[in-house]
Amino acid sequence: MHRSSKRTRLALAITAATAATFAGIGSAHAVEGPQPIVGGEIAHTSDTPWAIQMSNTASPSPTGEYCGGTLVAANKVVTAAHCVEGTSASSWTAVQGRDDLADTSVGKESAISDIWYDPSYGQGAHDVAVVTLATPFEGVPTLPLNQDTSVGESGATATVYGWGETEGTGPADTFQKVDVPLMGDASCASAYGNEYVGEGEVCAGYEEGGKDSCQGDSGGPLVVGGKLVGIVSWGQGCADAGNPGVYSEVSTYYDELTSHIG
Ligand code: ARG
């Protein structure tokens, strides 16, 4: 969910147990409260036309800003299961090509005609979903799914995109991006314990924090080498030292996702 997902609450619950692991790092850079898509910069959907805003009627924002998504076929958007679980298709509008969500004079919109999400969501990882556009975004470039299971451990720098929380350090509901290195499963396992599922999630950020995705970015793309490697899923706070961002691992769900993209 936009503000406090179940995963986020679970992550909060394990903070005390895992805080000691990062005490040395965390205390030096401790920041109170949620932080924005820290260290990000203004981005342009003209450069990344496959980046989709998934607006929802339940959004606290007048723009409807709620989750992100990625156009993977003219009529299919990959997003996070936790974004769509328990929602009706009619509550959603997919928006393409609109950097500033308040500027409704630009970009394309589509209603959602169908929602699929991984039936194993809720049992750890599996935070993946595919929604169908009622009005396909014909002619808009799509992003291919990454199939290479080794990328998460490669140390490559990924870029994450979204319209999510900025906590005042950037304009609200405006498309942004930030580069975050893939940290490998061990980093998130030591930060989050069993809450992190190496088989199905990838870990990205900096040990010292400072750059991360945040609330409202969920479902959006984590990209390496022109492929969708991850889907914004969860984290303890945002950009806090010792608490990397956790992303659904697209390669793990490649076959399943592909079967729902057609
Ligand atoms: N669960 C959040 C959402 O629904 C995404 C949180 C990402 N957090 C992070 N620290 N990277 O928007």
Side-chain angles (χ1 to χ4, degrees), residues 7 19 56 68 95 141 143 148 161 166 168 170 177 184 200 204 230 238 246:
R7 302 303 303 271
N56 192 274
V95 182
L143 194 69
D148 177 358
Y161 299 88
T166 68
K177 65 178 177 181
C238 301
V246 180

Side-chain angles (χ1 to χ4, degrees), residues 1-3 5 8 66-67 82-83 212-218 232-239 243-247:
M1 285 303 154
H2 184 89
R3 295 291 161 184
S5 70
T8 301
Y66 202 74
C67 272
H82 83 261
C83 287
D212 197 5
S213 49
C214 199
Q215 318 316 327
D217 292 322
S218 277
V232 179
S233 183
W234 62 280
Q236 160 58 44
C238 301
N243 291 315
V246 180
Y247 298 80

Side-chain angles (χ1 to χ4, degrees), residues 75-101:
N75 68 335
K76 299 287 181 181
V77 172
V78 168
T79 187
H82 83 261
C83 287
V84 298
E85 182 186 41
T87 68
S88 66
S90 63
S91 67
W92 293 99
T93 303
V95 182
Q96 189 278 329
R98 186 175 298 162
D99 295 357
D100 173 0
L101 296 182

Side-chain angles (χ1 to χ4, degrees), residues 8-246:
T8 301
R9 288 202 300 276
L10 286 169
L12 283 166
I14 63 162
T15 304
T18 56
T21 308
F22 280 94
I25 301 163
S27 57
H29 296 272
V31 178
E32 297 303 319
Q35 290 293 300
I37 194 167
V38 178
E41 55 185 306
I42 295 288
H44 302 286
T45 55
S46 53
D47 296 327
T48 57
W50 33 259
I52 301 299
Q53 161 58 212
M54 293 289 294
S55 297
N56 192 274
T57 53
S59 172
S61 168
T63 68
E65 196 284 323
Y66 202 74
C67 272
T70 305
L71 191 73
V72 295
N75 68 335
K76 299 287 181 181
V77 172
V78 168
T79 187
H82 83 261
C83 287
V84 298
E85 182 186 41
T87 68
S88 66
S90 63
S91 67
W92 293 99
T93 303
V95 182
Q96 189 278 329
R98 186 175 298 162
D99 295 357
D100 173 0
L101 296 182
D103 185 3
T104 55
S105 68
V106 299
K108 299 177 196 278
E109 291 187 2
S110 174
I112 298 302
S113 58
D114 189 57
I115 293 171
W116 170 85
Y117 66 90
D118 189 320
S120 296
Y121 174 67
Q123 296 155 43
H126 293 275
D127 191 8
V128 297
V130 178
V131 303
T132 304
L133 303 179
T135 308
F137 294 147
E138 297 291 353
V140 174
T142 57
L143 194 69
L145 303 182
N146 171 59
Q147 212 173 346
D148 177 358
T149 55
S150 72
V151 177
E153 301 295 322
S154 69
T157 295
T159 307
V160 59
Y161 299 88
W163 289 261
E165 194 63 61
T166 68
E167 296 287 327
T169 67
D173 299 352
T174 299
F175 192 54
Q176 303 219 352
K177 65 178 177 181
V178 66
D179 286 344
V180 281
L182 292 163
M183 298 175 78
D185 289 335
S187 292
C188 270
S190 72
Y192 298 126
N194 292 337
E195 189 67 8
Y196 178 77
V197 180
E199 186 90 8
E201 294 181 325
V202 293
C203 185
Y206 294 85
E207 293 287 352
E208 69 274 25
K211 297 186 180 193
D212 197 5
S213 49
C214 199
Q215 318 316 327
D217 292 322
S218 277
L222 180 79
V223 179
V224 179
K227 293 201 168 149
L228 184 66
V229 162
I231 300 166
V232 179
S233 183
W234 62 280
Q236 160 58 44
C238 301
D240 293 347
N243 291 315
V246 180

